[in-house]
Amino acid sequence: MSDSPVLWSLDERGVATVTLNRPEVNNAYDAGLIQGLLKAMDELGRQPQLRVVVLKGHGKHFQAGADLKWINSVRMQSPAANEAASQATFEAVQRLNRLPIPTVALVQGGCFGGGTGVVAACDVVIAADNAVFSITEVRWGLTAAIIIPQLCDAVGVRQVRRYALTGERFSAQDARRIGLVHEVVPLNELEAAGAKVVEQLLANAPEALAETKAQAMESSFGGMDVDDAAYARLVRMHAAKRQSAEAKEGLASFAEKRAADWRHGR
């Protein structure tokens, strides 16, 4: 398999498979993966036969959120560089959210932090029974600002207020209960379950699908354009928090494999 951080292919039916490809770090995202995802969406957008996008993670885990070593390196750069990193991350999730074609996420293993925002931005989410989820940002002195709208769309404000505040891990069955995923299947049936949904989508009229999705997005928390002022505010908040004393302590605790002392973040 190529060492590119994001791979994509398109079959004769117009079904694209986009694969997050950093298995050595559980597909944690860094600048390379973010830009790879944006590039993949640019290239797929130029394919007139595109009908469905299937999103997968290579290896044992779907997506482990941010690469905290990369986050820490960004934290020590200028405020402008931090805003640029947050803006790119936001654009990758929001462009996936607003694609005018159906998207299907197949989730195995860990799906943490930004990974939960990625699946919340997909139209259909199928999880293997070994999937584990967590909105982890608060554990490291960060916030999930730029994915909160997509999460609110997927699971509702009440559930976000629990899981984004506790940072706790929850199972695939709990993810289904709160609405983050639609279906849970045995790991060895994940591909087949995804293929079944793809066939159902391909049976439907492409323009009707695009119009239906656009209409649904009009009523969503996460339906804003990438240049919307409300999102600009979330990007600024996300970037500023990365440079806070709490983030410094949280990321240090991760690197040093110890519990964070939040008195250092006050």
Side-chain angles (χ1 to χ4, degrees):
M1 181 173 280
S2 167
D3 60 1
S4 174
V6 177
L7 307 174
W8 69 269
S9 62
L10 185 65
D11 69 19
E12 66 281 356
R13 303 171 299 166
V15 177
T17 299
V18 176
T19 304
L20 307 179
N21 186 40
R22 299 186 76 213
E24 70 281 4
V25 290
N26 302 326
N27 298 316
Y29 72 82
D30 64 358
L33 188 142
I34 292 166
Q35 292 304 317
L37 188 56
L38 289 168
K39 181 180 177 182
M41 287 188 283
D42 285 342
E43 293 172 344
L44 286 169
R46 293 192 286 269
Q47 309 301 316
Q49 71 271 38
L50 184 65
R51 294 285 311 278
V52 178
V53 171
V54 178
L55 184 64
K56 303 165 60 175
H58 179 209
K60 294 182 179 180
H61 302 282
F62 174 75
Q63 210 282 317
D67 183 329
L68 294 185
K69 291 182 179 179
W70 172 70
I71 287 289
N72 197 42
S73 70
V74 173
R75 182 186 66 79
M76 293 184 285
Q77 297 175 28
S78 68
N82 274 267
E83 283 201 23
S86 292
Q87 181 69 25
T89 307
F90 152 65
E91 286 190 18
V93 175
Q94 188 64 346
R95 284 180 59 186
L96 181 65
N97 196 33
R98 292 177 61 88
L99 276 178
I101 58 168
T103 53
V104 181
L106 304 181
V107 181
Q108 82 285 359
C111 180
F112 305 136
T116 63
V118 168
V119 298
C122 291
D123 298 311
V124 181
V125 183
I126 304 173
D129 53 8
N130 75 335
V132 180
F133 300 82
S134 178
I135 307 169
T136 49
E137 282 81 353
V138 291
R139 191 63 51 89
W140 314 119
L142 304 168
T143 73
I146 56 177
I147 59 170
I148 289 292
Q150 293 85 4
L151 287 166
C152 285
D153 284 338
V155 305
V157 173
R158 189 64 173 165
Q159 299 295 355
V160 169
R161 286 172 65 175
R162 172 176 174 167
Y163 291 102
L165 293 177
T166 64
E168 68 192 275
R169 293 192 174 195
F170 53 100
S171 68
Q173 292 294 350
D174 281 334
R176 183 170 185 255
R177 174 181 58 82
I178 67 175
L180 187 59
V181 307
H182 297 95
E183 185 177 355
V184 178
V185 300
L187 177 60
N188 63 2
E189 297 178 15
L190 185 60
E191 293 284 342
K196 181 179 178 181
V197 170
V198 167
E199 288 299 326
Q200 291 170 327
L201 292 168
L202 291 174
N204 302 328
E207 289 185 11
L209 287 171
E211 291 165 3
T212 298
K213 183 170 179 176
Q215 289 162 5
M217 292 297 293
E218 287 178 4
S219 300
S220 69
F221 287 100
M224 294 175 278
D225 291 328
V226 295
D227 57 354
D228 190 284
Y231 257 123
R233 179 178 61 84
L234 292 178
V235 165
R236 289 193 298 271
M237 291 170 58
H238 188 259
K241 187 59 180 173
R242 189 188 298 120
Q243 295 194 288
S244 68
E246 281 193 341
K248 180 180 180 180
E249 167 61 13
L251 292 168
S253 73
F254 170 79
E256 297 164 12
K257 296 181 171 56
R258 62 171 173 80
D261 182 351
W262 294 122
R263 290 173 299 178
H264 293 174
R266 292 177 184 171

Short mmCIF file of all heavy atoms in Angstrom, two decimals, residues 92-134:
data_model
loop_
_atom_site.label_atom_id
_atom_site.label_comp_id
_atom_site.label_asym_id
_atom_site.label_seq_id
_atom_site.Cartn_x
_atom_site.Cartn_y
_atom_site.Cartn_z
N ALA A 92 -11.52 20.43 6.35
CA ALA A 92 -11.56 19.02 5.98
C ALA A 92 -12.84 18.36 6.47
O ALA A 92 -13.51 17.61 5.74
CB ALA A 92 -10.33 18.30 6.54
N VAL A 93 -13.21 18.63 7.72
CA VAL A 93 -14.43 18.03 8.28
C VAL A 93 -15.67 18.62 7.61
O VAL A 93 -16.60 17.89 7.23
CB VAL A 93 -14.49 18.23 9.80
CG1 VAL A 93 -15.82 17.73 10.37
CG2 VAL A 93 -13.33 17.51 10.47
N GLN A 94 -15.69 19.94 7.43
CA GLN A 94 -16.90 20.58 6.92
C GLN A 94 -17.12 20.28 5.44
O GLN A 94 -18.26 20.17 5.00
CB GLN A 94 -16.85 22.08 7.18
CG GLN A 94 -18.13 22.82 6.85
CD GLN A 94 -19.31 22.40 7.72
OE1 GLN A 94 -19.28 21.37 8.41
NE2 GLN A 94 -20.38 23.16 7.69
N ARG A 95 -16.05 20.16 4.68
CA ARG A 95 -16.22 19.80 3.27
C ARG A 95 -16.77 18.38 3.15
O ARG A 95 -17.59 18.09 2.28
CB ARG A 95 -14.91 19.95 2.51
CG ARG A 95 -14.60 21.42 2.24
CD ARG A 95 -13.31 21.61 1.50
NE ARG A 95 -13.32 20.92 0.21
CZ ARG A 95 -12.26 20.83 -0.58
NH1 ARG A 95 -11.11 21.37 -0.21
NH2 ARG A 95 -12.35 20.21 -1.73
N LEU A 96 -16.31 17.49 4.03
CA LEU A 96 -16.89 16.15 4.06
C LEU A 96 -18.36 16.22 4.44
O LEU A 96 -19.22 15.55 3.85
CB LEU A 96 -16.12 15.29 5.07
CG LEU A 96 -16.55 13.84 5.24
CD1 LEU A 96 -16.33 13.06 3.96
CD2 LEU A 96 -15.78 13.20 6.40
N ASN A 97 -18.67 17.07 5.41
CA ASN A 97 -20.04 17.23 5.88
C ASN A 97 -20.97 17.72 4.77
O ASN A 97 -22.13 17.29 4.68
CB ASN A 97 -20.05 18.24 7.04
CG ASN A 97 -21.31 18.23 7.86
OD1 ASN A 97 -21.93 17.19 8.05
ND2 ASN A 97 -21.69 19.38 8.37
N ARG A 98 -20.47 18.60 3.91
CA ARG A 98 -21.30 19.24 2.91
C ARG A 98 -21.17 18.66 1.50
O ARG A 98 -21.72 19.23 0.55
CB ARG A 98 -21.00 20.75 2.88
CG ARG A 98 -21.42 21.48 4.15
CD ARG A 98 -21.03 22.96 4.08
NE ARG A 98 -21.68 23.63 2.96
CZ ARG A 98 -22.89 24.20 3.03
NH1 ARG A 98 -23.57 24.18 4.17
NH2 ARG A 98 -23.40 24.81 1.98
N LEU A 99 -20.45 17.56 1.35
CA LEU A 99 -20.37 16.94 0.03
C LEU A 99 -21.78 16.70 -0.51
O LEU A 99 -22.65 16.21 0.23
CB LEU A 99 -19.64 15.60 0.11
CG LEU A 99 -18.12 15.60 0.08
CD1 LEU A 99 -17.60 14.18 0.21
CD2 LEU A 99 -17.59 16.23 -1.20
N PRO A 100 -22.04 17.01 -1.77
CA PRO A 100 -23.39 16.85 -2.32
C PRO A 100 -23.75 15.42 -2.69
O PRO A 100 -24.78 15.19 -3.31
CB PRO A 100 -23.36 17.75 -3.57
CG PRO A 100 -21.94 17.73 -3.99
CD PRO A 100 -21.13 17.67 -2.73
N ILE A 101 -22.91 14.48 -2.30
CA ILE A 101 -23.19 13.06 -2.55
C ILE A 101 -23.18 12.32 -1.22
O ILE A 101 -22.62 12.80 -0.23
CB ILE A 101 -22.15 12.45 -3.50
CG1 ILE A 101 -20.75 12.62 -2.91
CG2 ILE A 101 -22.23 13.07 -4.89
CD1 ILE A 101 -19.72 11.82 -3.62
N PRO A 102 -23.79 11.13 -1.17
CA PRO A 102 -23.82 10.38 0.09
C PRO A 102 -22.43 9.91 0.51
O PRO A 102 -21.59 9.54 -0.32
CB PRO A 102 -24.72 9.18 -0.23
CG PRO A 102 -25.50 9.59 -1.44
CD PRO A 102 -24.60 10.49 -2.21
N THR A 103 -22.21 9.91 1.82
CA THR A 103 -20.95 9.43 2.40
C THR A 103 -21.26 8.34 3.41
O THR A 103 -22.22 8.43 4.19
CB THR A 103 -20.19 10.57 3.08
OG1 THR A 103 -21.06 11.23 4.02
CG2 THR A 103 -19.70 11.59 2.06
N VAL A 104 -20.42 7.31 3.41
CA VAL A 104 -20.59 6.16 4.30
C VAL A 104 -19.28 5.94 5.03
O VAL A 104 -18.23 5.77 4.40
CB VAL A 104 -20.96 4.89 3.52
CG1 VAL A 104 -21.15 3.71 4.47
CG2 VAL A 104 -22.23 5.12 2.69
N ALA A 105 -19.29 5.95 6.36
CA ALA A 105 -18.09 5.69 7.16
C ALA A 105 -18.16 4.28 7.73
O ALA A 105 -19.20 3.87 8.26
CB ALA A 105 -17.95 6.70 8.29
N LEU A 106 -17.06 3.55 7.62
CA LEU A 106 -16.93 2.20 8.19
C LEU A 106 -15.89 2.28 9.30
O LEU A 106 -14.72 2.57 9.04
CB LEU A 106 -16.49 1.20 7.12
CG LEU A 106 -17.39 1.10 5.88
CD1 LEU A 106 -16.84 0.05 4.91
CD2 LEU A 106 -18.83 0.79 6.25
N VAL A 107 -16.32 2.04 10.54
CA VAL A 107 -15.49 2.32 11.71
C VAL A 107 -15.13 1.04 12.44
O VAL A 107 -16.01 0.26 12.82
CB VAL A 107 -16.24 3.26 12.68
CG1 VAL A 107 -15.37 3.58 13.89
CG2 VAL A 107 -16.66 4.54 11.97
N GLN A 108 -13.83 0.84 12.62
CA GLN A 108 -13.34 -0.27 13.44
C GLN A 108 -12.36 0.26 14.47
O GLN A 108 -11.73 1.31 14.26
CB GLN A 108 -12.66 -1.34 12.57
CG GLN A 108 -11.22 -1.07 12.18
CD GLN A 108 -11.06 -0.01 11.10
OE1 GLN A 108 -12.02 0.54 10.60
NE2 GLN A 108 -9.81 0.27 10.73
N GLY A 109 -12.25 -0.41 15.60
CA GLY A 109 -11.28 -0.01 16.61
C GLY A 109 -11.56 1.38 17.16
O GLY A 109 -12.70 1.79 17.35
N GLY A 110 -10.49 2.13 17.39
CA GLY A 110 -10.62 3.43 18.03
C GLY A 110 -11.11 4.52 17.09
O GLY A 110 -10.70 4.60 15.93
N CYS A 111 -11.98 5.36 17.62
CA CYS A 111 -12.47 6.56 16.92
C CYS A 111 -12.56 7.65 17.98
O CYS A 111 -13.54 7.73 18.72
CB CYS A 111 -13.83 6.30 16.28
SG CYS A 111 -14.50 7.72 15.38
N PHE A 112 -11.53 8.47 18.04
CA PHE A 112 -11.37 9.40 19.15
C PHE A 112 -11.26 10.84 18.67
O PHE A 112 -10.84 11.10 17.54
CB PHE A 112 -10.12 9.06 19.96
CG PHE A 112 -10.07 7.64 20.46
CD1 PHE A 112 -8.91 6.90 20.37
CD2 PHE A 112 -11.19 7.05 21.01
CE1 PHE A 112 -8.86 5.60 20.83
CE2 PHE A 112 -11.16 5.75 21.48
CZ PHE A 112 -9.98 5.01 21.38
N GLY A 113 -11.61 11.79 19.54
CA GLY A 113 -11.40 13.21 19.25
C GLY A 113 -11.98 13.61 17.92
O GLY A 113 -13.17 13.43 17.64
N GLY A 114 -11.12 14.15 17.05
CA GLY A 114 -11.56 14.58 15.73
C GLY A 114 -12.19 13.49 14.91
O GLY A 114 -13.00 13.76 14.03
N GLY A 115 -11.83 12.24 15.18
CA GLY A 115 -12.47 11.12 14.47
C GLY A 115 -13.96 11.06 14.69
O GLY A 115 -14.72 10.69 13.78
N THR A 116 -14.41 11.45 15.90
CA THR A 116 -15.85 11.46 16.15
C THR A 116 -16.52 12.55 15.31
O THR A 116 -17.66 12.38 14.86
CB THR A 116 -16.17 11.67 17.63
OG1 THR A 116 -15.68 12.95 18.07
CG2 THR A 116 -15.56 10.58 18.49
N GLY A 117 -15.81 13.67 15.10
CA GLY A 117 -16.34 14.71 14.23
C GLY A 117 -16.41 14.26 12.79
O GLY A 117 -17.35 14.60 12.06
N VAL A 118 -15.42 13.48 12.35
CA VAL A 118 -15.42 12.95 10.98
C VAL A 118 -16.62 12.06 10.75
O VAL A 118 -17.34 12.20 9.75
CB VAL A 118 -14.11 12.20 10.71
CG1 VAL A 118 -14.21 11.39 9.42
CG2 VAL A 118 -12.94 13.18 10.62
N VAL A 119 -16.89 11.13 11.68
CA VAL A 119 -18.04 10.23 11.45
C VAL A 119 -19.35 10.99 11.60
O VAL A 119 -20.33 10.69 10.90
CB VAL A 119 -18.00 8.99 12.37
CG1 VAL A 119 -16.76 8.16 12.08
CG2 VAL A 119 -18.09 9.34 13.84
N ALA A 120 -19.39 12.01 12.48
CA ALA A 120 -20.60 12.81 12.61
C ALA A 120 -20.89 13.57 11.33
O ALA A 120 -22.04 13.92 11.05
CB ALA A 120 -20.46 13.79 13.78
N ALA A 121 -19.85 13.84 10.52
CA ALA A 121 -20.02 14.56 9.27
C ALA A 121 -20.43 13.65 8.11
O ALA A 121 -20.70 14.14 7.02
CB ALA A 121 -18.72 15.28 8.91
N CYS A 122 -20.48 12.34 8.33
CA CYS A 122 -20.86 11.40 7.28
C CYS A 122 -22.35 11.09 7.36
O CYS A 122 -22.97 11.17 8.42
CB CYS A 122 -20.05 10.11 7.40
SG CYS A 122 -18.30 10.33 6.98
N ASP A 123 -22.94 10.72 6.22
CA ASP A 123 -24.37 10.48 6.16
C ASP A 123 -24.79 9.16 6.80
O ASP A 123 -25.85 9.08 7.43
CB ASP A 123 -24.84 10.51 4.70
CG ASP A 123 -24.59 11.85 4.05
OD1 ASP A 123 -24.95 12.87 4.65
OD2 ASP A 123 -24.03 11.88 2.94
N VAL A 124 -24.00 8.12 6.59
CA VAL A 124 -24.29 6.80 7.14
C VAL A 124 -23.03 6.31 7.82
O VAL A 124 -21.93 6.37 7.25
CB VAL A 124 -24.71 5.81 6.05
CG1 VAL A 124 -25.04 4.44 6.67
CG2 VAL A 124 -25.90 6.33 5.25
N VAL A 125 -23.16 5.82 9.05
CA VAL A 125 -22.01 5.32 9.79
C VAL A 125 -22.31 3.90 10.28
O VAL A 125 -23.31 3.67 10.97
CB VAL A 125 -21.68 6.22 10.99
CG1 VAL A 125 -20.42 5.71 11.70
CG2 VAL A 125 -21.50 7.67 10.55
N ILE A 126 -21.44 2.98 9.91
CA ILE A 126 -21.55 1.59 10.36
C ILE A 126 -20.30 1.28 11.17
O ILE A 126 -19.18 1.54 10.73
CB ILE A 126 -21.67 0.62 9.18
CG1 ILE A 126 -22.87 1.00 8.29
CG2 ILE A 126 -21.82 -0.82 9.68
CD1 ILE A 126 -22.97 0.20 7.02
N ALA A 127 -20.50 0.75 12.37
CA ALA A 127 -19.38 0.46 13.25
C ALA A 127 -19.26 -1.04 13.47
O ALA A 127 -20.27 -1.75 13.58
CB ALA A 127 -19.57 1.15 14.60
N ALA A 128 -18.02 -1.51 13.54
CA ALA A 128 -17.76 -2.87 13.97
C ALA A 128 -18.01 -2.96 15.47
O ALA A 128 -17.94 -1.97 16.19
CB ALA A 128 -16.33 -3.26 13.64
N ASP A 129 -18.26 -4.18 15.93
CA ASP A 129 -18.57 -4.35 17.35
C ASP A 129 -17.36 -4.12 18.25
O ASP A 129 -17.50 -4.05 19.47
CB ASP A 129 -19.20 -5.73 17.61
CG ASP A 129 -18.36 -6.88 17.07
OD1 ASP A 129 -17.23 -6.65 16.61
OD2 ASP A 129 -18.86 -8.02 17.10
N ASN A 130 -16.17 -3.97 17.66
CA ASN A 130 -14.99 -3.66 18.47
C ASN A 130 -14.68 -2.17 18.51
O ASN A 130 -13.66 -1.75 19.06
CB ASN A 130 -13.76 -4.42 17.96
CG ASN A 130 -13.20 -3.84 16.66
OD1 ASN A 130 -13.92 -3.18 15.89
ND2 ASN A 130 -11.93 -4.10 16.40
N ALA A 131 -15.54 -1.35 17.92
CA ALA A 131 -15.27 0.09 17.87
C ALA A 131 -15.44 0.72 19.26
O ALA A 131 -16.33 0.33 20.03
CB ALA A 131 -16.21 0.77 16.87
N VAL A 132 -14.59 1.69 19.54
CA VAL A 132 -14.63 2.43 20.80
C VAL A 132 -14.51 3.91 20.46
O VAL A 132 -13.68 4.30 19.63
CB VAL A 132 -13.47 2.03 21.74
CG1 VAL A 132 -13.55 2.80 23.04
CG2 VAL A 132 -13.50 0.54 22.01
N PHE A 133 -15.31 4.73 21.13
CA PHE A 133 -15.40 6.15 20.81
C PHE A 133 -15.07 7.00 22.03
O PHE A 133 -15.30 6.60 23.17
CB PHE A 133 -16.81 6.50 20.32
CG PHE A 133 -17.23 5.74 19.10
CD1 PHE A 133 -17.73 4.44 19.20
CD2 PHE A 133 -17.12 6.31 17.84
CE1 PHE A 133 -18.11 3.75 18.06
CE2 PHE A 133 -17.50 5.62 16.70
CZ PHE A 133 -18.00 4.34 16.81
N SER A 134 -14.56 8.21 21.78
CA SER A 134 -14.36 9.17 22.87
C SER A 134 -14.12 10.55 22.27
O SER A 134 -13.36 10.68 21.31
CB SER A 134 -13.17 8.77 23.75
OG SER A 134 -12.96 9.73 24.77
#
